[in-house]
Amino acid sequence: MIEKDFVTEGLKRTRIDEYLEKELERAGYGGMDVQITPLGTMVVVYAERPGMVIGRGGKNVRAITNTLKNDFGLDNPQIEVKEVSVPELNPKIMAYKIANMLQRGMHFRRVAYSTIRRIMGAGAQGVEVTISGKIRGSRSAVAKFVEGYIKKCGEPSIRLVEEGFATVQLKPGVLGIYVRIMPPETVLPDSVEILPQIEIIDDEVGEVEELDDSEEIVEEEIVEEVEDLDELEEIVEEESAEEAKEDS
């Protein structure tokens, strides 16, 4: 029965996310996070314009809180609004912006390329924008735009890449916008940092130079000892010659 509880909880969070997405679309809704606390349920809402989420005198927040409590069955819900510091790095916000530009009649290629330039200009490592639906005519098609480096498979693509989705209703039909962004602070598991070895090489050269100096000192000492021995031999020879003369 534990698996059933997980599925039920996941469906509830999805319904809450869809409700907030619909209510806070004009505020630049950037996602939400639900945290269970001893005092109740904390719902953290990320938005580009927090003032529109709160409303005049907190009217919007109170209305959303009552809806979460009565319609979704949350225990003592408390809403915390946080501003998105860099909207260009939030895929959900950028997907909504693409949907708004398409609804105003702009060409999908121009919209996609301008959005990619904004995202990459904010410092993202990579971005992928996918627009699907009746974008060229009566038949459905998919247009994909990629720039930079972005993981598309494996565990890093799930854990490190942020995703956002939005839809827009046009005359030919409904278009789906899918945005994937790899943030600038992402560190991949296979990244390797090579440290410089310049200091190590300098130390080795210094040691070699010190050895050369010590060898020169030893050679000088040996030469001095040899000269002293030569002088001693000359003195001994002179003394022996003098003794020989005295004996004769």
Side-chain angles (χ1 to χ4, degrees), residues 45-163:
V45 179
Y46 301 93
E48 185 179 3
R49 293 178 288 276
M52 298 183 66
V53 178
I54 298 172
R56 182 174 297 179
K59 180 180 178 181
N60 293 343
V61 170
R62 287 194 296 270
I64 294 173
T65 302
N66 293 331
T67 303
L68 294 178
K69 182 178 181 180
N70 299 327
D71 297 348
F72 296 97
L74 294 184
D75 183 22
N76 190 19
Q78 300 175 4
I79 297 179
E80 180 182 356
V81 184
K82 291 186 177 181
E83 182 180 2
V84 180
S85 58
V86 186
E88 288 78 11
L89 296 178
N90 189 299
K92 190 178 288 291
I93 293 177
M94 298 311 296
Y96 292 147
K97 290 184 180 296
I98 292 175
N100 292 332
M101 287 186 285
L102 292 174
Q103 199 167 23
R104 291 199 297 266
M106 297 179 64
H107 195 267
F108 71 95
R109 291 185 183 275
R110 181 181 177 184
V111 171
Y113 284 124
S114 63
T115 304
I116 286 175
R117 284 195 297 269
R118 289 181 60 185
I119 295 173
M120 295 299 294
Q125 295 188 25
V127 58
E128 179 184 83
V129 176
T130 304
I131 302 175
S132 59
K134 296 181 180 180
I135 54 178
R136 296 189 182 93
S138 59
R139 299 186 65 179
S140 297
V142 178
K144 185 178 293 185
F145 308 87
V146 183
E147 187 171 346
Y149 180 77
I150 187 168
K151 297 291 289 185
K152 295 187 178 181
C153 63
E155 188 266 344
S157 66
I158 300 174
R159 183 172 58 89
L160 302 178
V161 180
E162 299 180 359
E163 303 174 351

